[in-house]
Amino acid sequence: MPGAVSLQPGPIALCALKPRLLLGLPAPILIPFVGDLTKPARTTSPSVPDRVVASVRRLHWSPVTMQRVVSMVARLGLRGQPLPSVPGRPLSGSQDVLRRTPLYDFHLAHGGKMVAFAGWSLPVQYQDSHVDSHLHTRRHCSLFDVSHMLQTKIHGCDRVKLMESLVVGDIAELRPNQGTLSLFTNEAGGILDDLIVTNTSEGHLYVVSNAGCWDKDLALMQDKVRELQKMGGDVGLEVVDNALLALQGPTVAQVLQDGVADDLRKLPFMTSAVMEVFGVSGCRVTRCGYTGEDGVEISVPATEAVHLAKVLLENPEVKLAGLAARDSLRLEAGLCLYGNDIDEHTTPVEGSLSWTLGKRRRAAMDFPGAAVIIPQLKGKVQRRRVGLTCEGAPMRAHSPILSTEGTMIGTVTSGCPSPCLKKNVAMGYVPSEYSRPGTRLLVEVRRKQQTAVVSKMPFVPTNYYTLK
């Protein structure tokens, strides 16, 4: 979900992330993505192990060309009117100049160990270890900076028509301030990205999608806006320059309720409201996240992001957490990382995401790729995304999956040791006949074969807040 998520949601999605970094890094440290992407780059510090560099490197997303974004948005306009540029964010088409969220200096001041990620400088962890941050989120509450995610608003009477021409979900059925995880798909049925769409009571759709797909997603929506406008449609797109803070964990309502007038007991999972948060007006609070825990994502004016983060950290329940914890949390929750677990060559059915297909949309078959996806619902797909558990060495992305006879049948797409379960968890794709939970398989790790078992997901039960 965008992350995400997530990582992802999501999605929120989300943001979704893959840094399996269990070792501390000297701060600040920037790991450049230059040269051959198949080879680990050397970092600014020789104390960082090559496996850590390689792990971060596998997170590489295409550069975010903000100059292109701004110019395209300006040409498109909001219902034909010029849009403001995106202030406060350095523009660069080069990976050498890393973009910074409004919380960059705040991260450094709190011991954030910074890495280059998708053209941004983001904290992979803080002074606490990755495992400590992970477990604190499961037991208390953690604050994540996900301001690199793409936030947009779709305006106009034809906003639902636009969104439903691009995604598989039933957007028209969303109640005011209700959201849903959905998927952009292509005509071949492949997933272009996962995103969260909220039908706001203010008369627009609020969309959050993955930073790694920023260029692609924005171009996709802009092209459709132009198409509808040429046909006389009433629709426009706006890029939102707010920061985005994800507060995640079982004590999130206890922490946040002190700073809002709204009764959070009336804000269930995947609903949203605009409210004042600890004195900051104009915040959109959405009950979602990409950790599997109760949580919110707060879209806050960029100039107020540091103030809000500082106030939240005054509560002893709250600690900062980075990319490493976000990745292991979403994996325990069985949530996909776009680019690893799902991509343009994966259909929703293969990715075990059939639940994102709206009932009305299935019947109408009016979304991109429906001619490929709908028959898969009724028939048999060649492969499916499954969960895997094993003892021994951790399964990692690209680890071969074999039958018990030793024949290669699939590949791991995400994997890490589970801090909660004290065993290794992973996701990967196998032929449908091997996808039943309890099926015993082999996974090759460091050129050695070890037993793995197909397992139901989520690996750790989710704790989303729903109305009783």
Side-chain angles (χ1 to χ4, degrees):
M1 147 187 164
V5 196
S6 255
L7 345 169
Q8 169 5 356
I12 327 268
L14 222 130
C15 296
L17 305 167
K18 189 164 188 58
R20 308 175 214 95
L21 308 180
L22 305 181
L23 299 178
L25 304 178
I29 180 168
L30 301 179
I31 302 177
F33 293 111
V34 294
D36 184 354
L37 290 178
T38 65
K39 298 177 181 178
R42 188 62 259 165
T43 69
T44 56
S45 170
S47 66
V48 182
D50 283 332
R51 72 174 183 84
V52 173
V53 179
S55 185
V56 175
R57 192 171 187 72
R58 284 192 292 271
L59 292 167
H60 175 74
W61 289 336
S62 61
V64 179
T65 311
M66 281 300 296
Q67 202 69 284
R68 173 187 169 200
V69 171
V70 174
S71 61
M72 291 178 70
V73 172
R75 289 198 304 271
L76 174 62
L78 172 57
R79 300 199 202 183
Q81 300 301 315
L83 290 178
S85 62
V86 182
R89 307 290 178 90
L91 307 183
S92 173
S94 170
Q95 288 274 119
D96 295 333
V97 180
L98 294 175
R99 298 173 64 204
R100 300 175 178 181
T101 76
L103 291 161
Y104 175 80
D105 291 332
F106 175 83
H107 295 314
L108 293 183
H110 287 79
K113 297 168 176 62
M114 311 300 286
V115 297
F117 181 78
W120 294 78
S121 182
L122 295 171
V124 69
Q125 67 180 74
Y126 296 86
Q127 294 174 344
D128 290 339
S129 72
H130 154 243
V131 171
D132 287 344
S133 290
H134 178 113
L135 295 175
H136 182 85
T137 309
R138 289 279 184 245
R139 298 164 182 167
H140 302 280
C141 193
S142 293
L143 182 64
F144 300 82
D145 179 12
V146 292
S147 302
H148 57 300
M149 304 287 280
L150 173 61
Q151 302 177 69
T152 53
K153 293 180 181 179
I154 310 296
H155 299 269
C157 297
D158 293 318
R159 60 189 182 276
V160 172
K161 179 180 180 181
L162 177 143
M163 191 53 58
E164 289 200 346
S165 71
L166 300 174
V167 303
V168 301
D170 192 341
I171 308 304
E173 75 170 1
L174 295 176
R175 299 184 298 275
N177 291 323
Q178 182 184 15
T180 185
L181 176 70
S182 196
L183 306 170
F184 287 133
T185 49
N186 59 28
E187 292 300 334
I191 300 171
L192 297 174
D193 198 10
D194 56 305
L195 63 155
I196 290 181
V197 183
T198 300
N199 177 30
T200 74
S201 59
E202 291 78 29
H204 64 266
L205 299 178
Y206 171 60
V207 182
V208 179
S209 56
N210 287 308
C213 298
W214 182 305
D215 286 342
K216 178 173 67 174
D217 291 353
L218 193 57
L220 182 70
M221 292 185 285
Q222 286 174 328
D223 288 347
K224 184 57 67 171
V225 166
R226 292 191 189 94
E227 179 184 322
L228 292 180
Q229 286 180 343
K230 287 179 180 178
M231 298 169 58
D234 178 24
V235 67
L237 180 149
E238 173 188 358
V239 176
V240 180
D241 188 44
N242 282 2
L244 192 62
L245 302 181
L247 191 63
Q248 301 284 301
T251 61
V252 62
Q254 168 192 323
V255 170
L256 196 59
Q257 190 62 75
D258 290 341
V260 300
D262 297 60
D263 186 353
L264 295 178
R265 293 174 298 180
K266 298 179 180 179
L267 190 75
F269 182 59
M270 295 306 293
T271 61
S272 179
V274 175
M275 62 184 75
E276 182 177 293
V277 181
F278 287 104
V280 179
S281 59
C283 294
R284 175 165 292 282
V285 178
T286 305
R287 198 100 180 221
C288 66
Y290 222 58
T291 63
E293 294 295 333
D294 187 13
V296 296
E297 291 187 352
I298 307 171
S299 182
V300 54
T303 55
E304 299 293 338
V306 171
H307 165 74
L308 181 55
K310 287 180 177 178
V311 173
L312 290 170
L313 280 181
E314 289 175 359
N315 191 312
E317 282 290 309
V318 182
K319 288 188 176 183
L320 292 168
L323 303 179
R326 188 171 173 81
D327 184 58
S328 54
L329 288 161
R330 69 93 191 166
L331 185 48
E332 283 187 343
L335 301 173
C336 293
L337 170 62
Y338 188 82
N340 277 44
D341 308 306
I342 51 175
D343 58 26
E344 295 183 15
H345 305 290
T346 308
T347 71
V349 180
E350 291 172 332
S352 300
L353 296 171
S354 301
W355 58 271
T356 63
L357 306 174
K359 184 177 180 180
R360 175 177 61 84
R361 308 300 306 281
R362 297 185 190 199
M365 293 185 65
D366 59 352
F367 56 85
V372 175
I373 296 169
I374 296 303
Q376 289 183 344
L377 290 171
K378 304 173 182 177
K380 183 178 181 181
V381 292
Q382 290 187 340
R383 60 174 191 152
R384 287 188 182 275
R385 178 174 64 94
V386 298
L388 297 166
T389 59
C390 79
E391 306 291 340
M395 298 171 283
R396 301 295 190 184
H398 311 301
S399 295
I401 303 173
L402 304 92
S403 69
T404 52
E405 290 77 28
T407 302
M408 183 173 173
I409 59 172
T411 305
V412 172
T413 55
S414 288
C416 72
S418 165
C420 291
L421 301 178
K422 308 299 183 186
K423 60 183 176 181
N424 305 311
V425 298
M427 287 189 275
Y429 283 84
V430 298
S432 294
E433 58 267 30
Y434 294 94
S435 64
R436 184 182 297 276
T439 301
R440 297 178 70 83
L441 301 171
L442 298 174
V443 176
E444 186 175 300
V445 181
R446 300 171 187 169
R447 299 183 180 181
K448 295 183 179 180
Q449 294 180 4
Q450 56 192 45
T451 300
V453 179
V454 176
S455 304
K456 291 183 178 180
M457 293 183 286
F459 299 104
V460 174
T462 55
N463 292 305
Y464 304 127
Y465 174 73
T466 56
L467 297 177
K468 305 303 180 185

